[in-house]
């Protein structure tokens, strides 16, 4: 069993750190809002630390799941960041969805401290984190990945090294590009069914097992029809992710016309007050046009 620190106890990090404790690891947690760290200790045992640096002292592995690029920089290399106290030979595993640029910067900064840095963004949402069945896509050195994989396994259904540093984040970008187009297609299909006077539930019943079926269709159609959008992944986070995808595409020459337009549709949703609605709220935009 390993000594593990976990930084960031949000929707995702709180249950992920819980799975590490349940697996028998010795876990120290840090959260910017300290009361959440205290609640976590009440739920799972372990210890709470007041700063990333304190949490990381003596840890074999430091895992993070914070918000965006700036947040990651802060917990790694900011004042009282984890890199200042991590021991040589230890591994930092970043589960935040961030840009290729910050990943390259943190990999280099870690290397200067003789620390390994593995980018390991996740998919599977809040339910995947709570049930310990996330898909984890990793980038980094083979040896560091091999050491981190058994720790990550505590909350993963699948964990795979996709290549050198940054390959995990690039894989997550593919995931988000696929989801964006799919959700708009599903929104348009349901919207059309409603306008055509069909029983949209019956329509889904007939088509979900065929070629148009998808995880989003099976798991989101009912709440989309009920105009409920509080199921996890927020539009604000999606815009962060699509921004990362589009700027990376700008650099590598990929053409993402649908992703670009759906990013603008999500901007409309934000302007409707839906920044914290879940990503299936694209249908609400169609209903209000
Ligand atoms: P969240 O609930 O908003 O939690 C974010 C966490 O990061 C909180 O613990 C927050 O602390 C902490 N944090 C933010 N800025 C910080 C800073 N500057 N310094 C220290 N801590 C900071 O977000 P989430 O839904 O767990 O998502 C976390 C990451 O996973 C994001 O990159 C997101 O894109 C990605 N992700 C989310 C999902 C999902 O379904 N939610 C799925 C896949 C990937 P406070 O408690 O003090 O605010």
């Amino acid at each position: 069993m390993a000594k593990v620190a976990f930084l960031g106890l949000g929707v995702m990090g709180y249950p992920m750190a819980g799975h590490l404790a349940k697996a028998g690891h010795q876990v120290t947690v840090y959260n910017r809002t300290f009361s959440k760290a205290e609640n976590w200790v009440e739920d799972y045992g372990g210890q709470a630390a007041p700063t990333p640096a304190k949490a990381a002292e003596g840890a074999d592995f430091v895992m993070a799941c914070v918000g965006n690029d700036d947040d990651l920089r802060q917990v790694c290399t900011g004042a009282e960041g984890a890199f200042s106290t991590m021991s040589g030979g230890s591994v930092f595993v970043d589960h935040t969805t961030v840009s290729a640029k910050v990943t390259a910067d943190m990999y280099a900064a870690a290397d200067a401290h003789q620390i390994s840095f593995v980018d390991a963004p996740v998919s599977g949402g809040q339910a995947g984190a709570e049930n310990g069945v996330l898909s984890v896509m990793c980038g980094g050195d083979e040896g560091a990945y091999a050491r981190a994989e058994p720790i990550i396994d505590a909350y993963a259904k699948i964990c795979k090294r996709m290549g050198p540093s940054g390959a995990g984040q690039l894989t997550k970008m593919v995931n988000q590009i696929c989801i964006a187009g799919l959700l708009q297609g599903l929104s348009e299909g349901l919207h059309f069914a409603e306008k055509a006077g069909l029983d949209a539930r019956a329509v889904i019943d007939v088509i979900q097992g065929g070629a148009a079926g998808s995880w989003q269709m099976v798991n989101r159609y009912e709440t989309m029809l009920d105009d409920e959008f509080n199921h996890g992944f927020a539009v604000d986070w999606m815009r962060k992710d699509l921004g990362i995808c589009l700027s990376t595409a700008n650099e590598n020459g990929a053409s993402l016309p649908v992703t670009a337009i759906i990013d603008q549709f999500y901007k409309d949703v934000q302007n409707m007050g839906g920044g914290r609605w879940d990503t299936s709220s694209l249908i609400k935009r169609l209903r209000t046009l």
Side-chain angles (χ1 to χ4, degrees), residues 9-12 31-33 36 66-67 71 74 96-97 125 240:
L9 303 173
V11 167
M12 301 298 283
N31 196 70
R32 181 177 56 181
T33 309
K36 268 196 223 169
V66 291
D71 304 331
Q74 206 164 342
T96 319
T97 305
K240 161 183 70 84

Side-chain angles (χ1 to χ4, degrees), residues 8-13 30-33 36 65-68 70-71 74-75 95-97 122-126 172 232-233 237 240-241 276:
L9 303 173
V11 167
M12 301 298 283
Y30 158 79
N31 196 70
R32 181 177 56 181
T33 309
K36 268 196 223 169
C65 191
V66 291
N68 59 25
D70 289 344
D71 304 331
Q74 206 164 342
V75 299
H95 292 303
T96 319
T97 305
V122 300
S123 105
Q126 181 174 358
K172 174 73 183 182
F233 194 63
W237 279 152
K240 161 183 70 84
D241 293 0
R276 295 302 293 180

Side-chain angles (χ1 to χ4, degrees), residues 109-156:
D111 195 47
H113 286 84
Q114 282 88 48
I115 303 163
S116 297
F117 185 93
V118 175
D119 49 299
V122 300
S123 105
Q126 181 174 358
E130 288 172 356
N131 297 323
V133 291
L134 292 169
S135 301
V136 188
M137 38 217 110
C138 300
D141 299 342
E142 281 179 32
Y145 173 76
R147 280 189 285 146
E149 192 195 61
I151 312 296
I152 297 171
D153 270 348
Y155 41 76

Side-chain angles (χ1 to χ4, degrees), residues 99-101 170 173 243-254 256:
S99 68
K101 166 85 177 98
L170 290 170
M173 291 176 212
I244 290 169
C245 297
L246 292 168
S247 69
T248 305
N250 214 19
E251 288 162 17
N252 71 15
L256 303 181

